[in-house]
Structures are given as structure tokens and as C-alpha cells.
Amino acid sequence: MVAVSTTALVVVTGFLTSLTLIAAIGAQNAFVLRQGIRGEHVIAVVALCTVSDMVLIAAGIAGFGALVGAHPSVVTIATVGGAAFLIGYGLLAARRAASPGTLTPSDSAPARLAGVIATCLALTFLNPHVYLDTVILLGALANEHADNRWLFGVGAVTASAVWFTTLGFGAQRLKGLFATPLTWRILDGIIAVTMITLGVVLAWP
């Protein structure tokens, strides 16, 4: 009974720790939210975000976090690339927000799967906080549990799957609200501010 309780505690700890880190407003979450509301390639986006977190969390537990910590140039490269990408993506969202001719998803051509996947990958792996939070921090916290570190990882990955599934598919309930171009312009405006702000913060020395 004690062993079962310990196992459950470690899994729950991993779940809550991971959920706390990924639930914060960020570029990846904003993208998943937008795709969910549009109802485009939601399964692919949710699966990709979840699998990416699984790979990153596993890498952190396996010791990759120490390697990243020893080679800060990896984070520096991700920071520069991520800042440029976020600002560029934010400017595109700002252009959509400022355009009176903005179309609703039902009126516009659907986004190509390849483009959606490429954008999702960039927002995930060009974000230096992914390496600092998911790889280094979660990896370090998991390894504090010694032989139970992979149970911590199971909890962390489960939190990721629950979060992205809820965000992606839950956003579809907002479709009625986003039935007019004006609401899409407001959403794109919020995304633009979020992306550009994050990009500037990353680029700021």
C-alpha cells in the first residue's frame, strides 16, 4: 500500500508541476487556441505538441538538461531564432487584425497541414523556455525522485496531453463567438501583442 501511495504521489507531483509550467500564456498555447477555434488540423497540432513535450521531458530526465546547461550556446541560438520567428509571426497576426477584409475560417481557404506543422514545430523548438523549463527544470525535478524519476515523467507527459487536448478541442466550443470577422480581428490582435511582446523580451539583452 505504501509503494502504491508513493507511486501515485510522484505521478501527481509530475502532473501538477508540468501543468503549472505549460498552462502559462505563451506562443505555443496561443497557436493551439487559434487552430482549435478554426477547427483546422486540431488532432495533428495536439498530437505534435504532446509528443514534443514527451520527447523533451524524456530528454531532461535522461540527462540532456545537464548537457544543455553546460552548453548555453544552444539556448542562445534558440533565443535569437525564436525572437525573430515570434516577431515575424506577430506582425502577420497584426496585419490580419488591421485588415478590414479579414475572413472567418468558413470563408477562407483552409491552412495546409504542412504549414501548420512547420509553424507548430517552430513555436515549440525555437522557444528557449522549452529547454529551460521542460528539459532542465522538469528534468532536474524528476531526477530528485531517483528511481521514481520516470514516474514523475509519466505524470508530466500526462499533464501535457490533458492540457493540449483540452485547449485544442475545448476551443472549438468558442466557434459561435468567432463567427464574425471582427472577433477574429480581436483575437489576432491579442495574438499579435502576445507574440511580439514575447519576441522583444527574448531579444532584449
Side-chain angles (χ1 to χ4, degrees):
M1 181 65 69
V2 175
V4 174
S5 299
T6 301
T7 297
L9 179 61
V10 173
V11 171
V12 170
T13 301
F15 182 94
L16 294 177
T17 303
S18 178
L19 189 63
T20 300
L21 292 174
I22 66 176
I25 296 176
Q28 186 187 49
N29 285 338
F31 180 74
V32 174
L33 177 65
R34 189 174 194 278
Q35 289 303 121
I37 295 174
R38 287 179 63 89
E40 289 183 349
H41 311 300
V42 181
I43 294 177
V45 170
V46 169
L48 183 58
C49 289
T50 301
V51 171
S52 296
D53 270 11
M54 180 174 66
V55 171
L56 291 166
I57 291 170
I61 296 174
F64 184 70
L67 181 62
V68 172
H71 296 82
S73 59
V74 173
V75 178
T76 300
I77 293 173
T79 299
V80 174
F85 183 84
L86 287 174
I87 292 173
Y89 190 94
L91 291 174
L92 290 176
R95 186 175 69 176
R96 291 195 303 268
S99 174
T102 296
L103 301 176
T104 64
S106 59
D107 298 325
S108 60
R112 295 175 63 86
L113 177 60
V116 170
I117 289 177
T119 301
C120 189
L121 286 172
L123 289 173
T124 299
F125 291 99
L126 287 180
N127 179 5
H129 292 293
V130 163
Y131 304 99
L132 296 174
D133 293 344
T134 308
V135 178
I136 296 178
L137 180 56
L138 279 181
L141 292 174
N143 279 288
E144 287 184 0
H145 295 277
D147 293 340
N148 290 324
R149 62 187 182 278
W150 290 107
L151 290 175
F152 182 97
V154 169
V157 171
T158 301
S160 178
V162 169
W163 171 256
F164 288 119
T165 299
T166 302
L167 184 62
F169 291 100
Q172 295 187 25
R173 294 181 176 274
L174 300 175
K175 270 189 174 183
L177 179 63
F178 287 86
T180 65
L182 176 60
T183 50
W184 275 103
R185 291 176 65 186
I186 293 173
L187 176 63
D188 279 324
I190 295 173
I191 291 175
V193 171
T194 300
M195 298 290 189
I196 293 174
T197 300
L198 290 172
V200 170
V201 170
L202 286 179
W204 198 264

